[in-house]
Amino acid sequence: MTTPFLYMLSTSFKPQAFVLTTPPQFIPDPFTWSNYAQAWTTQDFARYAANSVIVAVISTALSVLISSMMAYGFARFEFRGREVVFRILLIGLMVPAMMLIIPQFVLAKYFNLLDSLAGLIVFYVAGSLALNVFLLRGFFAALPGELDQAMQIDGANAWTRYWRLAIPLARPALATATIFTFLASWDEFAWALTIINNPDNRTLPIAIQLFQGQNATQWGLVFAASVIAIIPVIVVYLVFQRHFVQGLTSGAVKG
């Protein structure tokens, strides 16, 4: 699994003439930084990186907030049709994203969201809710009910119990949901390519695709751009990795 990543990293430091050597050369010789400099300064790469940061950060924040509130409601409140609504929500995990791209396009056109970052954010949030609610509901359901009852006796309402009790205790599950949502929003390509026409609204996956020529591709440039695009994902994982495994296991086992 690490071999393709190491090959990509190695190729990003090679001049174009040494990219497709046989057998593959993992240690660049000669070594060059020019691919990174060229990748960052061409195709308006910095603007596309900023667009990706805006879309991924807002999508992740909204998705984690909304899905945590939905999961808390499913885990802590009794209401008619709760299990039916939850199972309908889980259908979102079983439908391939590409099957929904045409109805999503029609909805985006109806709500005037085409060719905008808002159109990306809305559908990235909607697409991540099913998995996040599934993970977080299991974690909230496992919290002792006596803690809620104690806060209720002290006069805490539902929002206070959710914000001051459930959210701090659910940090492992929230970290897992944050990593999954950020990764899905950061490297999504198909939907962004479908609705974005204005070059100013392009995101990084589209920018990397632009480096591939019709007759020849500068693979060193493509791989350098890909390495730059991976850095934010690695940073997010390192920030939340302390809780990642615990949160994933809790959601999978208790959900």
Side-chain angles (χ1 to χ4, degrees), residues 12-238:
S12 69
F13 293 109
K14 298 176 184 175
Q16 177 65 17
F18 295 86
V19 167
L20 299 177
T21 56
T22 305
Q25 186 180 18
F26 278 86
I27 299 177
D29 184 22
F31 183 94
T32 179
W33 290 94
S34 62
N35 291 324
Y36 286 90
Q38 190 176 352
W40 187 257
T41 55
T42 58
Q43 301 283 8
D44 211 359
F45 198 79
R47 175 190 290 273
Y48 303 152
N51 288 341
S52 284
V53 169
I54 293 170
V55 169
V57 170
I58 295 178
S59 298
T60 303
L62 288 177
S63 176
V64 172
L65 176 64
I66 295 171
S67 59
S68 64
M69 289 192 290
M70 293 174 63
Y72 186 77
F74 282 123
R76 288 305 199 199
F77 296 101
E78 295 286 345
F79 54 89
R80 180 177 297 178
R82 183 182 68 167
E83 287 303 317
V84 173
V85 174
F86 181 65
R87 294 183 187 284
I88 292 175
L89 180 69
L90 293 186
I91 293 176
L93 293 174
M94 307 170 193
V95 180
M98 291 303 296
M99 299 290 291
L100 300 174
I101 202 159
I102 294 178
Q104 283 180 347
F105 184 86
V106 174
L107 282 174
K109 183 178 180 181
Y110 180 79
F111 289 109
N112 199 27
L113 292 172
L114 293 179
D115 203 13
S116 68
L117 298 184
L120 297 178
I121 292 170
V122 168
F123 286 93
Y124 289 167
V125 171
S128 62
L129 287 182
L131 177 60
N132 289 345
V133 171
F134 173 74
L135 288 173
L136 294 170
R137 178 183 184 256
F139 207 92
F140 288 139
L143 297 178
E146 291 79 5
L147 296 176
D148 271 47
Q149 295 168 6
M151 291 193 71
Q152 280 183 287
I153 293 173
D154 291 336
N157 57 25
W159 173 260
T160 303
R161 299 197 303 275
Y162 158 76
W163 188 253
R164 300 183 61 180
L165 173 66
I167 289 296
L169 293 176
R171 279 180 295 188
L174 293 173
T176 305
T178 298
I179 291 174
F180 282 154
T181 308
F182 185 87
L183 178 60
S185 305
W186 182 261
D187 67 356
E188 199 283 333
F189 176 75
W191 178 242
L193 183 66
T194 301
I195 71 164
I196 298 298
N197 292 319
N198 187 345
D200 291 343
N201 293 331
R202 288 171 177 162
T203 52
L204 273 184
I206 300 177
I208 294 173
Q209 185 267 340
L210 294 175
F211 287 127
Q212 299 185 38
Q214 186 173 6
N215 299 314
T217 299
Q218 292 183 288
W219 290 111
L221 199 59
V222 172
F223 288 158
S226 300
V227 171
I228 294 173
I230 287 173
I231 292 174
V233 178
I234 295 175
V235 171
V236 170
Y237 177 76
L238 291 177

